[in-house]
Amino acid sequence: LRKDLPAAIAGLKRRNVDFDVAGFRALEDERKKLQSRTEELQGKRNALSKQVGMLKGKGEDASAVLAEVGGIGDELKANETALAALQEKLAAFLRVIPNIPRADVPEGRSADDNVEVRRWGTPRKFDFAPRDHVDVGAGLGGGIDFDTASKLAGARFVVLKGGVARLHRALAQFMLSVHTGEHGYTEVYVPYMVSGECADGVSSLAKFKDDLFKLEGRDLYLIPTSEYPVTNFVRDSIVDGKELPLRFTAHSPCFRSEAGSYGKDTRGMIRNHQFDKVELVQMVRPEQSAEAHEQLTLHAEEILKRLELPYRTMLLCTGDMGFSSARTYDLEVWLPAQDAYREISSCSNFESFQARRMQARYRDEKGKVQALHTLNGSGLAVGRTLVAVLENCQQADGSVTVPKALVPFMGGVERLAAA
């Protein structure tokens, strides 16, 4: 914003954001004025302090100069207090401004304007009417139980039982195995709660706190994804450039209030308050982030390929991207019962946006310190993958064939039999 305001405004306009130019300039002008006066007073006080030392060294009277130093000190303190308050006001103004999209992101206002990049697999043709995952799960000995979940916690929760619960666990273990064993990620176990500062580092707490579950009386929020704790590994840090790229993967429950989603996907496991996810996070040099984004997306796609689930890869338009993203791919898996592709992973390049909010930097070979780039993606959302497996692998007799890639993680079980 300070280096090239017109370009920033143009970028935000592509996201359909009307930036308050007058408000920003007013805050900046006041900041410059206060900062300049503060620095001027600091310089004057230092010069007078030296003068006091010289006078005292000569045995001369320094009282007049000391009085002047005292007067400057009072004004300086008032200025520093005003500057600190203004910096907080400026920070609050800026922290609700979204990231600027990369130039190659298509313009648009909604998901209707997203661009299909590629698709893999052919949706299966059934010789019977395919059931949705709710009915498939119910037929597997009550493997998906919403009634019990509702008794425990209310709507938008689920209890999994027996073979379905085992399949859910196998999916997470399979994903972690591939990402750590073949894709070069380090597995981490993280807290399921983060502070407000951590939450604001990856997104805007002021803007999206209604989407989070907060602990009463504590500055702690249940994580909506393990991106929140994992990305904050590098908060307030200067990483040695030789250590980059950093790649982490974590399996965790995720908690979302689903504010604003009333009436959407009320049936089944598509949009719950609690669900599991295997997350992929990378921290890289700026010149590596575009390539890393393609790589991370392919890592997530590989899971779908091995599970033999048809999917398509969508490049999101400017109006459908997340707050922090500079560029995002969504992976959409085929769900036979809905006769549609539905999101199962979102893979984003945030460039330096999150790093600047978190003060996450690295030192290059020349000793220069600069903001690193962060990326993340679902590799994959475990619950939605379970939904896709149950629907795509269902049989006419109500049983479900276990994908070959999962059989070793299921103790050799190749089929979930109907009750």
Side-chain angles (χ1 to χ4, degrees), residues 300-318:
E301 288 184 31
E302 183 63 22
I303 300 297
L304 289 166
K305 286 178 180 176
R306 295 198 190 186
L307 294 174
E308 301 179 65
L309 296 172
Y311 70 91
R312 65 181 185 179
T313 304
M314 307 292 290
L315 178 60
L316 300 195
C317 70
T318 53

Side-chain angles (χ1 to χ4, degrees), residues 78-106:
N79 260 42
E80 287 173 341
T81 301
L83 182 59
L86 184 66
Q87 292 282 27
E88 282 186 22
K89 193 175 178 182
L90 182 60
F93 176 90
L94 294 174
R95 290 181 88 79
V96 296
I97 307 298
N99 199 358
I100 296 169
R102 287 176 61 96
D104 59 350
V105 174

Side-chain angles (χ1 to χ4, degrees), residues 162-418:
V164 177
R166 186 175 187 178
L167 184 61
H168 184 267
R169 171 163 54 95
L171 282 165
Q173 297 304 311
F174 163 65
M175 293 172 193
L176 287 172
S177 179
V178 173
H179 294 317
T180 58
E182 300 179 37
H183 295 158
Y185 291 84
T186 299
E187 183 177 353
V188 292
Y189 170 81
V190 295
Y192 299 159
M193 295 173 255
V194 293
S195 67
E197 185 179 14
C198 285
D200 196 56
V202 297
S203 185
S204 171
L205 185 60
K207 211 170 178 68
F208 301 111
K209 66 181 178 181
D210 288 344
D211 294 332
L212 307 178
F213 286 110
K214 186 180 188 301
L215 271 66
E216 188 175 352
R218 300 283 298 276
D219 178 33
L220 285 173
Y221 296 82
L222 293 177
I223 60 172
T225 159
S226 55
E227 169 201 358
Y228 275 52
V230 176
T231 309
N232 274 279
F233 282 4
V234 291
R235 179 165 59 92
D236 295 326
S237 301
I238 299 177
V239 179
D240 186 338
K242 294 175 185 174
E243 295 178 24
L244 299 177
L246 295 172
R247 297 188 185 97
F248 299 105
T249 183
H251 169 221
S252 77
C254 305
F255 307 91
R256 298 184 185 178
S257 72
E258 294 295 346
S261 67
Y262 181 78
K264 295 180 183 177
D265 296 308
T266 52
R267 178 175 167 85
M269 293 175 57
I270 295 295
R271 198 181 295 273
N272 281 355
H273 289 313
Q274 177 185 313
F275 59 94
D276 278 30
K277 196 142 69 86
V278 171
E279 194 75 6
L280 305 175
V281 176
Q282 292 196 27
M283 295 89 165
V284 305
R285 293 168 179 262
E287 65 271 18
Q288 296 173 329
S289 72
E291 182 182 351
H293 188 208
E294 302 300 319
Q295 175 196 65
L296 183 146
T297 304
L298 291 174
H299 290 161
E301 288 184 31
E302 183 63 22
I303 300 297
L304 289 166
K305 286 178 180 176
R306 295 198 190 186
L307 294 174
E308 301 179 65
L309 296 172
Y311 70 91
R312 65 181 185 179
T313 304
M314 307 292 290
L315 178 60
L316 300 195
C317 70
T318 53
D320 199 35
M321 292 196 313
F323 174 85
S324 302
S325 178
R327 190 170 186 268
T328 295
Y329 287 118
D330 268 7
L331 306 186
E332 298 179 348
V333 69
W334 178 255
L335 296 184
Q338 294 189 19
D339 195 31
Y341 287 96
R342 294 299 304 270
E343 181 198 336
I344 196 168
S345 171
S346 191
C347 302
S348 299
N349 183 358
F350 306 106
E351 296 194 331
S352 63
F353 186 81
Q354 292 179 328
R356 293 181 188 281
R357 296 170 79 87
M358 296 187 298
Q359 288 297 295
R361 296 151 292 170
Y362 79 99
R363 193 184 308 276
D364 65 19
E365 290 76 5
K366 296 178 181 178
K368 184 181 178 183
V369 175
Q370 56 183 313
L372 47 75
H373 280 199
T374 61
L375 307 95
N376 86 276
S378 306
L380 305 161
V382 182
R384 290 194 180 190
T385 309
L386 176 68
V387 167
V389 169
L390 292 176
E391 292 197 7
N392 281 281
C393 300
Q394 63 180 295
Q395 305 303 313
D397 64 359
S399 66
V400 171
T401 303
V402 175
K404 290 179 183 177
L406 291 181
V407 171
F409 298 88
M410 290 285 290
V413 173
E414 298 179 349
R415 179 174 164 271
L416 298 181

